[in-house]
Amino acid sequence: MGERYVCIHAHFYQPPRENPWLDTVEPEASAAPYHDWNERVAAECYTPNAAAPVIDELGQVTRVLNNYSHLSFNVGPTLLSWMERRAPDTYAAILEADRLSRERFSGHGSALAQPYNHLIMPLATARDRRTQVVWGIRDFVWRFGRQPEGMWLPETAVDLDTLEALADGGVRFTILAPHQAAAVRRPPDGDWQGVGGGRIDPRRAYIQRLPSGREIALFFYDGEASRAVAFEPLLEDGESFVRRLETTVPAEGLEPSLIHIATDGETYGHHHAAGEVALAFALSNFAGSPEARLTNYGEFLERHPPRHEVRIEEGTSWSCAHGVERWRSDCGCSTGERPEWSQAWRGPLRESLDELATALAGAFETEGESFLRDPWRARDEYIDVILDRSPGRTAEFISRHGEQLAAQESRNPALKLLEMQRHAMLMFTSCGWFFDDPAGIETRQVLLYAGRALDLAENMGLEAAREAFLTSLEGVRSNREEVGDGRHIFTSAVAATRVTSVDVGVQAAADALFGTREASDYGPLFSVRLLNRRPVPMSTGRVVAGRLQVTSNLEEEELAVCFATARAHDAGIQGGLALTGAVEWRQDDPPLKGDDCREKELLLAESLHRGADPTSVLRQVYPLRIFTQDDLRPDGRARVEELFSEAGAESKAPAEG
């Protein structure tokens, strides 16, 4: 009898959710009571799977299992980036699980790579396919410390060009759905046999020969078993889960047999509550079973190289019955929550973003040649800067891609162009088309990436693309009449989300009323230095004034401002910013002029002492931006409100800092 193996693959992924101007995730009301959906799914799934209880027939916990160390799994690079910052213990457990899996599975790690931001590879340009694979691999090596053997394809969307991109990156294998196989044969002389409609035997590995002459191994997961795990109540009972997998592989047969399933990783805990417990039971059972040995794909390939050849069905995916139409047309696929709604908006959205991407690519190539030896190679390697935005890393990147970039006036435009291209790829993240209406948070997110790309383009003097893009978005119609079209969705979303150095200065000025914040609290794209901070006498509350500096870490540009922030008893805050430099007091009193922040503080103190209205004074002395707490970003506003609560009715001015 042939050997029997079991492999469970979990695809862990959330769409990138960061505010593109801050590179941090802001509150998402639909995820309440959690801050955002990443945090919610982490609490329900990612963290529990790192320490899942194994429960025996008496209901006793016999051990705690890091499920990741026994699975085959991939975690989207953008999700790992979030975990590294916001769920570091879970992140560390996932990295450790890959190390442990190498010990368990003959040196083959269980973690797979993924194209960087989950775009639909067959719909991407050749350059984007290449960069997505390069970024996915470099991100993987950065985190896991080894080259990936396999790569999970977003939505398992595949064609030969996509497989060529994987093979070009040194990827040995990927995993597909059974209906994505067209025909198989036993080389060299076997006849091709059609296996369309999911009729391929999933128990072995296959070789796909590519037009370039290269080849890549393919696994086709067991569709029926995978659907049962994802959509039936199997995970309510770990023993039922085990029996379902055991009965999938018949005991007879001389060839080695692999039963393997693939589902969203969120199945285990988020979609099915306590699913990680059933998974831990199954993994523990198979880890000690003499009947069906637990393995991963890399180990199975080494032990049992493919002896059959396959031809794929091109332009297919695991989540669209019409190929890849879900991401470019009203094909009929939807979540089913609002069956009366149309998805006719998907085509115009794809066309609008395709046209914008083409315009941005042309601008990148033309402008980039002024600063970069090879703009597209530089884009492929820009992932090194994304992973580590420290000045040393950026300087090393710049030294590799053009001596002319050593000049500050040259390196800033180059970094802006590269960041523009990063957002031009992020705007194709698959979730933007997956759901039922363009007003949803997923589609709004891809439009925000487009907005950030356009802002960066305009910073470079490339203004023409915006109006053409806005006009094209008029064809993107929401199913909700009150929402309107894509142009309105885009402009309202960008207006509510865009953040500038001045906005960061406003938050820093508000924080200064209560104390100081670490520079990192303002997100990875901005740093703040509170240069000085002094109390200003005020009889009915507290006031601080001083000077601060905001640095845009991407553009390497600095904004120096004077600030003042006031809070009256039992009231909100109000404040203002002014550029450092001369100020003229424009009331009936004789004009007073000052040349720095200290002079502005004195003017403010004198006016408040005379009983002047604080709002009027702020408008005249700090005219760059007047603000209240309602003008803060959601997280900043929540923090200030928390500090209000802690401060209570205290009116004593803070100590000089």
Side-chain angles (χ1 to χ4, degrees):
M1 184 177 70
E3 295 177 277
R4 303 169 74 215
Y5 297 86
V6 171
C7 179
I8 300 173
H9 182 81
H11 163 54
F12 295 97
Y13 169 72
Q14 291 293 301
R17 305 179 184 279
E18 284 76 8
N19 177 322
W21 288 268
L22 286 174
D23 213 18
T24 59
V25 179
E26 298 191 288
E28 294 176 313
S30 59
Y34 295 93
H35 178 273
D36 56 74
W37 278 102
N38 282 2
E39 185 179 284
R40 177 171 173 172
V41 180
E44 296 173 349
C45 174
Y46 307 140
T47 299
N49 273 289
V54 179
I55 300 175
D56 65 16
E57 62 275 7
L58 299 177
Q60 302 297 312
V61 176
T62 61
R63 58 189 293 212
V64 174
L65 193 69
N66 183 338
N67 284 346
Y68 299 100
S69 67
H70 291 71
L71 287 171
S72 169
F73 70 90
N74 73 285
V75 185
T78 55
L79 177 57
L80 282 172
S81 176
W82 176 87
M83 283 187 185
E84 184 178 16
R85 285 186 265 176
R86 299 301 181 187
D89 291 344
T90 302
Y91 175 76
I94 289 172
L95 302 191
E96 173 67 4
D98 182 69
R99 187 192 67 78
L100 293 172
S101 70
R102 279 177 271 166
E103 297 177 359
R104 180 169 291 112
F105 300 125
S106 311
H108 297 276
S110 288
L112 275 60
Q114 178 197 290
Y116 187 74
N117 66 268
H118 212 270
L119 54 70
I120 301 302
M121 295 286 275
L123 298 181
T125 65
R127 282 196 177 111
D128 283 358
R129 279 195 302 272
R130 172 180 167 77
T131 302
Q132 286 285 311
V133 172
V134 169
W135 284 20
I137 291 172
R138 290 206 182 189
D139 185 276
F140 185 95
V141 172
W142 171 266
R143 300 180 191 284
F144 292 96
R146 64 176 179 87
Q147 290 291 325
E149 293 186 77
M151 177 170 274
W152 176 268
L153 290 172
E155 304 292 340
T156 74
V158 72
D159 61 4
L160 289 176
D161 288 338
T162 298
L163 294 180
E164 288 278 18
L166 266 58
D168 189 51
V171 175
R172 294 182 59 207
F173 69 86
T174 191
I175 309 160
L176 300 177
H179 68 266
Q180 294 181 271
V184 299
R185 71 166 183 164
R186 185 73 174 265
D189 301 320
D191 295 331
W192 285 101
Q193 304 292 324
V195 292
R199 292 180 291 122
I200 192 169
D201 185 346
R203 295 176 295 172
R204 60 173 67 100
Y206 297 85
I207 282 292
Q208 170 73 62
R209 305 198 189 282
L210 301 173
S212 65
R214 291 178 295 210
E215 58 185 36
I216 188 169
L218 300 179
F219 291 91
F220 296 86
Y221 63 78
D222 187 295
E224 290 187 7
S226 297
R227 283 189 294 274
V229 172
F231 302 112
E232 296 176 13
L234 276 181
L235 296 181
E236 294 178 3
D237 178 0
E239 291 184 351
S240 297
F241 185 18
V242 170
R243 284 196 300 271
R244 181 65 176 85
L245 296 183
E246 285 180 334
T247 57
T248 300
V249 180
E252 70 274 7
L254 298 178
E255 287 190 24
S257 295
L258 174 68
I259 170 60
H260 59 115
I261 61 172
T263 66
D264 287 331
E266 292 75 19
T267 299
Y268 305 107
H270 174 57
H271 299 317
H272 295 279
E276 78 281 358
V277 179
L279 177 60
F281 182 91
L283 293 171
S284 180
N285 179 279
F286 287 117
S289 171
E291 301 296 328
R293 183 179 180 275
L294 202 63
T295 190
N296 65 18
Y297 292 109
E299 183 186 57
F300 187 85
L301 270 182
E302 180 184 30
R303 293 183 175 215
H304 306 289
R307 295 190 291 175
H308 291 75
E309 190 176 349
V310 67
R311 288 176 179 167
I312 62 164
E313 290 279 7
E314 291 208 69
T316 56
S317 66
W318 76 344
S319 52
C320 178
H322 315 92
V324 293
E325 294 305 307
R326 186 169 193 155
W327 298 277
R328 65 179 176 187
S329 72
D330 186 7
C331 67
C333 289
S334 70
T335 65
E337 293 181 3
R338 298 295 297 266
E340 73 278 13
W341 278 5
S342 165
Q343 280 74 54
W345 55 271
R346 288 174 175 160
L349 177 64
R350 171 68 59 176
E351 292 168 9
S352 297
L353 291 173
D354 279 343
E355 291 171 3
L356 176 58
T358 299
L360 295 176
F364 173 71
E365 191 166 73
T366 300
E367 297 295 322
E369 289 176 348
S370 301
F371 313 108
L372 301 162
R373 294 192 185 101
D374 182 339
W376 295 109
R377 181 182 174 189
R379 188 182 80 160
D380 284 347
E381 298 188 10
Y382 185 58
I383 183 64
D384 295 344
V385 175
I386 296 169
L387 290 168
D388 178 1
R389 293 187 180 276
S390 65
R393 187 80 163 187
T394 301
E396 191 276 330
F397 171 84
I398 284 169
S399 70
R400 275 188 280 136
H401 291 284
E403 294 176 356
Q404 63 269 44
L405 292 184
Q408 186 75 13
E409 63 271 17
S410 297
R411 60 189 277 170
N412 290 347
L415 293 172
K416 290 178 183 178
L417 284 167
L418 289 161
E419 194 70 7
M420 177 187 77
Q421 277 297 297
R422 178 169 83 101
H423 287 87
M425 287 189 293
L426 284 167
M427 70 189 187
F428 286 109
T429 301
S430 67
C431 303
W433 287 262
F434 191 85
F435 296 93
D436 294 344
D437 194 80
I441 60 174
E442 298 83 7
T443 307
R444 289 169 64 89
Q445 185 69 29
V446 300
L447 290 175
L448 289 174
Y449 290 128
R452 176 61 167 153
L454 283 166
D455 280 3
L456 289 162
E458 289 172 354
N459 286 340
M460 298 290 299
L462 310 170
E463 295 88 357
R466 184 178 295 270
E467 187 54 40
F469 180 60
L470 289 171
T471 300
S472 69
L473 285 178
E474 293 171 3
V476 179
R477 303 293 307 181
S478 170
N479 289 284
R480 297 159 51 193
E481 187 175 347
E482 70 276 13
V483 170
D485 61 22
R487 183 182 188 123
H488 180 262
I489 295 170
F490 173 84
T491 53
S492 61
V494 169
T497 309
R498 182 188 281 124
V499 176
T500 66
S501 294
V502 174
D503 296 318
V504 175
V506 164
Q507 182 64 59
D511 292 331
L513 188 63
F514 299 95
T516 61
R517 288 177 76 183
E518 295 294 331
S520 60
D521 288 346
Y522 298 92
L525 300 185
F526 291 96
S527 299
V528 174
R529 291 180 62 202
L530 187 61
L531 300 175
N532 57 61
R533 167 179 169 271
R534 301 182 183 88
V536 177
M538 182 176 174
S539 61
T540 60
R542 65 168 67 185
V543 183
V544 296
R547 181 197 299 266
L548 60 86
Q549 179 178 290
V550 179
T551 302
S552 170
N553 297 329
L554 170 64
E555 289 90 352
E556 299 178 336
E557 295 170 349
E558 294 179 351
L559 172 70
V561 293
C562 307
F563 73 89
T565 310
R567 181 201 175 201
H569 279 317
D570 300 322
I573 64 171
Q574 55 183 320
L577 302 182
L579 294 174
T580 55
V583 62
E584 183 174 338
W585 185 237
R586 298 179 299 275
Q587 284 195 341
D588 296 335
D589 296 331
L592 295 173
K593 293 186 178 181
D595 59 4
D596 61 15
C597 295
R598 184 59 174 159
E599 293 294 334
K600 294 177 175 61
E601 295 167 24
L602 294 173
L603 287 172
L604 176 64
E606 180 183 343
S607 300
L608 293 176
H609 179 71
R610 295 199 312 267
D613 175 54
T615 301
S616 175
V617 178
L618 288 169
R619 288 188 182 281
Q620 299 207 47
V621 183
Y622 298 91
L624 175 64
R625 175 74 64 84
I626 300 298
F627 64 88
T628 70
Q629 67 198 65
D630 292 337
D631 297 311
L632 306 179
R633 300 300 306 166
D635 277 329
R637 185 163 59 250
R639 182 178 183 279
V640 166
E641 289 170 352
E642 179 182 352
L643 291 169
F644 282 173
S645 177
E646 293 175 359
E650 180 185 359
S651 61
K652 182 181 178 181
E656 182 170 339

